[in-house]
Amino acid sequence: MKQNRMLWLLDRLERQPRADPLIDTLRSGVHKLPLGASRDLLHGRWLGHPVHPLMVQVPIGSWLSAAVLDMRPGRSREATLLVGVGLAAAAPAAAAGAVDWAELRPEQARVGLVHALANVAGVGLYAASLTCRLRGRDAAGRTLGFLGMTAVSLGGLLGGHLAYRQASGANHAEEVPHVVREGWHRVAAVADLPVGRPERRVVDDVPVLLVREAGGAVHALAERCSHLAGPLAEGTVADGCVTCPWHGSVFRLSDGWNVRGPATAPQPAFDTREVDGHVEIRLRRDDPPSADGWRPHFKGRSTGAHRAHGRSS
């Protein structure tokens, strides 16, 4: 069977490094924006997954509706309103996409750049369409609107490739609960774990991060970052958290909560115990953590301080 021509072109785009200097410049510019806490808001950490796909529904929906009205006589006023709504909603959607794009791998960033350029072209065409409509040049406005929808549709195709083929924005730790077997697993001798330094071990082919505290408590999380599978064992440990060395996501060691993005999903956490001088871990399958570390209390489950540290008696 012949290879799909579209996939062949997209694969070529992923491997083409010609735009990398421009990507590096733009990425640096996005990183320097003084967004503060708004950066995590734009990443969608509050939502549990990237917010950009949600935000683009407004401009795309508005412009698609305008295109439908443009095919009916006497509905130019309503179509003009929808084009304006789409343009107003495009800016925050683009901001969310930009902060996500700045944290992508090179292959993803190359596709993302063309995705952004297609959408910029679409926004420009719709801005010109709105100008023509407001000046009474409805025929030109409709033509520019259809061209804008074509550009935005191309951008949407590339966005789908980014999300589903290249897994940008996906939770890269989602499979852990489905791979690790139930029960306790011996992973290391306590004496082999240096205090305060991340160590990597493997359970059922799943890399696990181990961190031993000065007081003796051992924390265990899935080692591959939920953002883009960065190696947390190569990160830094401070204030009860581990920071991913790739993109700076911060996870709480006690329960895997994503304290800071770009990660939008927490890390799977493990209970730990010491048996005969060895650390054993068990995947924690109870209720997920909250931002302040609170967990619901259910009769028959161990709670309290030793539970919050991921330890089980």
Side-chain angles (χ1 to χ4, degrees), residues 193-207:
L193 299 178
V195 174
R197 200 172 75 195
E199 290 288 319
R200 182 182 185 273
R201 297 293 187 272
V202 177
V203 172
D204 290 336
D205 296 325
V206 173

Side-chain angles (χ1 to χ4, degrees), residues 32-303:
K32 291 178 181 178
L33 292 175
L35 297 176
S38 298
R39 192 175 296 272
D40 273 1
L41 184 70
L42 291 170
H43 279 308
R45 191 174 69 89
W46 57 276
L47 186 62
H49 62 76
V51 72
H52 175 66
L54 174 64
M55 297 179 74
V56 299
Q57 302 307 308
V58 178
I60 291 176
S62 298
W63 292 333
L64 180 59
S65 300
V68 172
L69 291 178
D70 277 339
M71 292 186 286
R72 298 186 59 189
R75 305 305 295 269
S76 61
R77 184 175 180 179
E78 293 86 347
T80 299
L81 175 62
L82 286 168
V83 169
V85 170
L87 286 169
V99 296
D100 288 342
W101 172 84
E103 310 298 342
L104 296 180
R105 299 187 183 112
E107 295 81 3
Q108 296 167 328
R110 293 164 189 161
V111 176
L113 177 63
V114 182
H115 165 74
L117 291 174
N119 286 326
V120 168
V123 169
L125 288 164
Y126 272 111
S129 172
L130 181 62
T131 300
C132 289
R133 293 169 192 267
L134 293 175
R135 293 178 178 177
R137 300 169 55 196
D138 290 341
R142 287 193 296 269
T143 299
L144 289 167
F146 288 128
L147 290 174
M149 177 53 62
T150 301
V152 169
S153 297
L154 174 60
L157 182 150
L158 293 169
H161 184 83
L162 269 167
Y164 299 111
R165 179 74 175 238
Q166 295 184 296
S168 66
N171 177 6
H172 288 260
E174 189 279 335
E175 77 282 355
V176 172
H178 309 289
V179 176
V180 176
R181 293 170 297 167
E182 293 188 5
W184 292 96
H185 306 268
R186 182 165 291 191
V187 290
V190 175
D192 292 339
L193 299 178
V195 174
R197 200 172 75 195
E199 290 288 319
R200 182 182 185 273
R201 297 293 187 272
V202 177
V203 172
D204 290 336
D205 296 325
V206 173
V208 176
L209 171 75
L210 299 176
V211 178
R212 179 185 174 196
E213 291 184 342
V218 177
H219 301 293
L221 303 176
E223 194 265 344
R224 291 299 179 182
C225 178
S226 63
H227 174 231
L228 283 177
L232 295 182
E234 298 177 16
T236 57
V237 173
D239 300 324
C241 297
V242 60
T243 301
C244 179
W246 282 8
H247 304 104
S249 296
V250 178
F251 301 95
R252 198 163 54 203
L253 289 169
S254 62
D255 54 16
W257 180 257
N258 48 319
V259 177
R260 190 175 72 224
T264 58
Q267 291 295 112
F270 294 78
D271 294 321
T272 67
R273 69 182 183 184
E274 182 179 334
V275 178
D276 299 330
H278 288 79
V279 175
E280 294 185 351
I281 66 174
R282 177 180 64 185
L283 185 65
R284 192 177 300 166
R285 300 180 185 272
D286 62 357
D287 301 278
S290 67
D292 59 2
W294 179 84
R295 291 173 177 271
H297 175 75
F298 291 96
K299 188 175 181 180
R301 289 186 184 173
S302 60
T303 58

